[in-house]
Every structure is written in structure tokens, then in C-alpha cells.
Amino acid sequence: MDLGDAFAMAEDLLEHHGLHDWTVELDGAKRRAGICRFGPQVLGLSAPLTTLHSEAEVRDTILHEIAHALAGPAHGHDATWRAVARRIGSSGERCVSPESPRVEPPWLGVCPAGHTTGRHRRPERVMTCAQCSRTFDLAHLITWTHHGRPAEPHPNYDAELARLRAGRRLQLLRPGTRARVIAPGEHHGRVGKVVKLGRTSYHLRAGGAVLRVPFAHVERA
């Protein structure tokens, strides 16, 4: 569906259902079609998925989120929310149909047996195939390609895999720990204190600066 038409539909449906103070925003989500943000009173629509979905699917997504806004944050996808959703014309389903178009993840992981999994971000932690073994087992290591081609893994991935193959696991440092940057470059050897753990990197206070350094490029000082 055209994004402009979807945006206008969402605004009209919010107005129709009395949500005059709510606004519509498009975002880059690739795994969920819509979201109801109660605090800022925003109905969010995934731009990538909206462009792939039909008008009927987008309308159902919008009504799904409007039902959340009307039912309130305490109800999630319970019977109260479902009753509201169906009353205003939504299907009342928790998720879009599995048959609806999806954004294909650029990262494809394959285990030795051929089982596949997808990711929208570059993998930074080592994964093994859950279909082959319920426990973590390097015999079922998942290897990754990006848009069908071999790609350089995240530094954390390489470091963790090396540790695992040596019989050790990657141990993350806690905030407050003194740490040293071991990666080549201008910050090599700098010592500071871990102030925060991000998704893939430490926030390391060294002097008057806060450095963001991948987990694999830091060691305990």
C-alpha cells in the first residue's frame, strides 16, 4: 500500500474512533507491522511492511493498534482488547497472517544440516542450531552470509568463537570494572571504567571522554 494513503487512513481512523490527541508515525520496523505507544500517544506503522501489505492488511493493523489505545495498556492481547478490536472492525488476531509479505532479512544463517535462520542485524554473538540440538553445541554452528555472500562477522563474534573453540566463554565486564582497550588504533592501551553495557559494546569512561568499544576489544585492567 502507498505510504501516504496508509498515513491518511490511520489519521482518519484515529479521528473516527475519538483518539483526537493521537498522532501517526512511520518507522523502520521489519518484524512488526504496527505499534501502540501509550505514553506519547503515537500509532506507529512499519514503513517497510506497509509498502508490502495490501490495503485490507494495513487497515487491520491500524485497527489492531487503535483497539490497544481504546482498551488501555493493562489489557495487552486479552479478551477485553479482543472484544474492542472486533467491535471496531479488526480481525482481533494477535499478529498479521503468516502468509502476509515479509521483509526478507539480509543476514542468512545456515547450520551444517541445512537449517536456516534470518537476522536483520549483523550477528554479534555465536549461535548454534536449536533444531539440531537443544543445548549449545559447536558441532551445529550457524554460519552467516549477507545478501547471499560471505561477510565479515562482528568483532565480538570472532572473539567469542575463538574463546569457545578454546573451551572458554566470553565473560562481559560489569559496570564499575576497570578495563583496558586492546584494539589497535588511537585508543589502544587506554584504561578506564565501564559505565554501561550497550547491545554490542562497552561505554568506557577514560579521562574526560566516554568511549564506545566492542566487547571483544576490551579486557579487565
Side-chain angles (χ1 to χ4, degrees):
M1 183 178 184
D2 177 78
L3 290 179
D5 292 342
F7 195 96
M9 178 194 293
E11 287 189 321
D12 288 345
L13 287 171
L14 284 172
E15 187 74 18
H16 177 75
H17 291 289
L19 299 172
H20 308 296
D21 296 329
W22 284 66
T23 57
V24 182
E25 288 184 1
L26 297 171
D27 58 46
K30 298 178 179 66
R31 296 183 179 179
R32 55 108 182 113
I35 190 169
C36 176
R37 298 188 175 96
F38 292 97
Q41 295 187 311
V42 168
L43 189 155
L45 290 176
S46 160
L49 286 171
T50 296
T51 58
L52 295 177
H53 290 172
S54 67
E55 180 176 340
E57 289 170 323
V58 174
R59 181 182 181 85
D60 193 60
T61 294
I62 294 168
L63 291 174
H64 176 117
E65 305 307 337
I66 286 176
H68 280 303
L70 294 174
H75 291 287
H77 291 107
D78 66 6
T80 298
W81 167 82
R82 189 174 299 106
V84 173
R86 290 175 175 170
R87 175 172 57 81
I88 66 173
S90 168
S91 65
E93 297 296 326
R94 290 171 57 96
C95 305
V96 296
S97 169
E99 298 178 0
S100 296
R102 298 181 183 274
V103 177
E104 290 298 325
W107 291 89
L108 180 67
V110 184
C111 79
H115 301 129
T116 61
T117 184
R119 291 290 183 275
H120 289 283
R121 293 179 175 178
R122 180 167 59 155
E124 72 273 0
R125 301 300 303 271
V126 176
M127 290 179 57
T128 63
C129 182
Q131 294 184 62
C132 292
S133 174
R134 293 184 180 181
T135 59
F136 187 92
D137 187 342
L138 285 179
H140 307 294
L141 179 68
I142 291 176
T143 57
W144 298 91
T145 56
H146 185 245
H147 292 298
R149 297 181 177 181
E152 183 178 348
H154 192 280
N156 292 337
Y157 183 97
D158 280 340
E160 184 178 21
L161 184 57
R163 285 181 170 91
L164 288 167
R165 284 175 169 163
R168 298 178 289 120
R169 285 188 175 272
L170 179 65
Q171 298 292 328
L172 297 183
L173 304 178
R174 296 181 179 181
T177 304
R178 283 177 56 80
R180 179 183 296 104
V181 179
I182 59 175
E186 62 175 314
H187 299 302
H188 178 77
R190 291 192 70 175
V191 175
K193 183 180 290 186
V194 176
V195 294
K196 180 181 176 182
L197 274 68
R199 189 176 64 87
T200 63
S201 60
Y202 293 112
H203 294 227
L204 187 69
R205 185 177 298 281
V210 176
L211 311 176
R212 293 190 62 181
V213 189
F215 297 140
H217 292 170
V218 170
E219 67 178 11
R220 186 185 298 271

